[in-house]
Amino acid sequence: MSQPNIPPITPTITLSRENALNLLLASLAMEDLSVGHVMNAEAEKIQYAVGTLPGLPSPASIRDLLAINASVKKTMDNVLLREALLQTNLQTILTSSPDGQTGATGPTGATGATGANGAAGTTGAAGAAGAVGATGANGATGAAGATGATGANGAAGAVGATGATGATGATGATGATGATGANGATGAAGATGANGATGAAGAAGATGAAGATGPTGPTGATGATGAVGATGANGTTGATGAAGATGATGATGATGATGAAGATGAAGATGAVGATGATGAVGATGATGATGAAGAVGATGATGATGAAGATGVTGATGAVGATGAAGATGAVGATGATGATGATGGIFGQFQVAQNSPNTSGSSAIVIGATSTTLHTITMTGVSVGNRVWLTAVAGFLNTSGNTIIQLQLFRGATLIFSIDNSGPGNSSFTAQTANHVDLTPGTGNVTYTLSALATVGSASATGGTTLTGALIQ
């Protein structure tokens, strides 16, 4: 199996959209051919297993046949998927319109000169004739010959006058897409003639429905048939007996009437083939005699490999493109769709609560902090609803009173501890500051109380002022 092969194009040319689509179609055809080879190989696998192709030393068991069947099914499933993909690609290519809308067909350009025939492939040497063996499997198909060079394009016909542009339709209100308007009637094809002077550009109108596709231009002349590929080698030859030397062939005389065939005797061993003499002129064919009884047919020898395909002939010149038809009338604007429901409003701050010292400065308080939790401030958030959140912030200043001290700042919802953070202060009579930030995602409903507390997990200290607790309700 070979992959699709698009031959190089020499000299290099710029492909039109139409030529590109043709090359894509050729690629899909080659892929489909390769899929056909895969299917043929699976068929021969089954034939080998059931014994219709020779070579299996012993009959296959039921288990072997089931395994072969499963293998073939798996391959065919993949082939069907590939075929579906090829079908999709084919539909896409077939529905791809050429550049611009196709109008009426213009006059046919002059046919380009036919390219020269490709060189004939070299004929392979003929193998010696051997004994006829059992029917062998078909040889693999030879690779396709290279495509001949494309002939020069014929002269393009004159371009027809451009149809008038349709008036711009009014823009409907934005909303759901309305039903597609009926296609406008196809405008009559403009008369073909010389290109007129370019007019001023009109206002851009909505695109009219595509005009009907013009009739297909005449097919270019068929390229010359490529040379026939070389003949494949013959099957293995049986043992050849000695033969007398062949004399030079004389001129062929007129063929006489053929007599009745006698019984076929045993075939003698074939002698070595002498050198072929020059072929004489062919005489007139005589009347054919009665056919003798046919001898028994020997087993068919193995099929020789298929010779390479000859080069593809030159492609004929492409006909001129027809003039573009006038644009159809603009379809009616679809009705405006209903407005969608308004989305939910994003979160905002509903209320703000704060508790702090007054004045809120250093030395404004002297609350002893020991091993038990001590309340510093309390706030209450009112009217909390399901789905609300509360953003809490706190700050407190401390004076260590017993050497190295660790202070834990705590936030409570009611009696439930929801946040804590530790801070250490080295040395006696040293000052530290502690902050806390926390968002309560599940505050509950109604009125919710929050408390800022502190305790010393190591040593002792006192809260000496600059203490604040704030809460913001996020709806």
Side-chain angles (χ1 to χ4, degrees):
M1 181 181 73
S2 61
Q3 293 295 327
N5 178 28
I6 299 177
I9 300 175
T10 303
T12 301
I13 62 174
T14 300
L15 292 178
S16 66
R17 181 181 178 89
E18 182 177 1
N19 287 341
L21 293 177
N22 289 338
L23 289 176
L24 289 174
L25 287 173
S27 173
L28 290 181
M30 293 180 183
E31 288 191 63
D32 219 11
L33 179 61
S34 66
V35 170
H37 286 310
V38 172
M39 296 174 65
N40 183 66
E42 292 302 305
E44 291 181 349
K45 183 194 296 183
I46 295 176
Q47 290 176 326
Y48 181 84
V50 300
T52 56
L53 287 180
L56 193 65
S58 59
S61 64
I62 295 298
R63 177 179 297 178
D64 294 334
L65 294 177
L66 291 176
I68 289 293
N69 188 60
S71 172
V72 172
K73 181 180 182 299
K74 182 177 179 181
T75 302
M76 292 306 296
D77 288 344
N78 293 331
V79 167
L80 290 177
L81 291 175
R82 186 63 183 171
E83 280 295 295
L85 179 59
L86 291 177
Q87 175 68 16
T88 301
N89 291 340
L90 179 61
Q91 291 297 333
T92 302
I93 294 173
L94 292 179
T95 55
S96 296
S97 62
D99 297 334
Q101 297 175 342
T102 303
T105 303
T108 304
T111 303
T114 302
N117 293 337
T122 304
T123 304
V132 178
T135 302
N138 291 334
T141 304
T147 304
T150 304
N153 292 335
V159 179
T162 303
T165 303
T168 303
T171 302
T174 303
T177 303
T180 304
N183 291 336
T186 304
T192 303
N195 291 337
T198 303
T207 302
T213 303
T216 305
T219 304
T222 303
T225 303
V228 177
T231 304
N234 291 333
T236 305
T237 304
T240 303
T246 303
T249 303
T252 304
T255 304
T258 304
T264 303
T270 304
V273 178
T276 304
T279 304
V282 179
T285 304
T288 304
T291 303
V297 178
T300 305
T303 303
T306 304
T312 304
V314 178
T315 303
T318 304
V321 178
T324 303
T330 304
V333 178
T336 304
T339 303
T342 303
T345 305
I348 59 173
F349 290 111
Q351 62 176 288
F352 180 81
Q353 301 291 343
V354 61
Q356 60 186 4
N357 292 349
S358 181
N360 198 18
T361 59
S362 297
S364 59
S365 64
I367 303 172
V368 176
I369 307 298
T372 59
S373 183
T374 301
T375 299
L376 300 179
H377 284 297
T378 300
I379 60 173
T380 300
M381 309 302 295
T382 60
V384 179
S385 302
V386 175
N388 290 167
R389 294 151 291 170
V390 178
W391 184 3
L392 301 169
T393 63
V395 62
F398 300 97
L399 172 64
N400 298 334
T401 58
S402 62
N404 294 339
T405 305
I406 297 179
I407 302 298
Q408 184 176 99
L409 203 59
Q410 301 173 322
L411 291 173
F412 289 84
R413 183 200 318 118
T416 303
L417 177 65
I418 59 174
F419 179 84
S420 64
I421 188 170
D422 293 336
N423 188 29
S424 64
N428 194 25
S429 299
S430 61
F431 289 91
T432 60
Q434 183 81 336
T435 61
N437 284 282
H438 178 69
V439 177
D440 189 2
L441 300 178
T442 56
T445 58
N447 297 336
V448 182
T449 299
Y450 293 95
T451 301
L452 172 64
S453 300
L455 64 85
T457 58
V458 175
S460 62
S462 62
T464 59
T467 304
T468 303
L469 173 62
T470 63
L473 181 66
I474 305 174
Q475 294 178 336

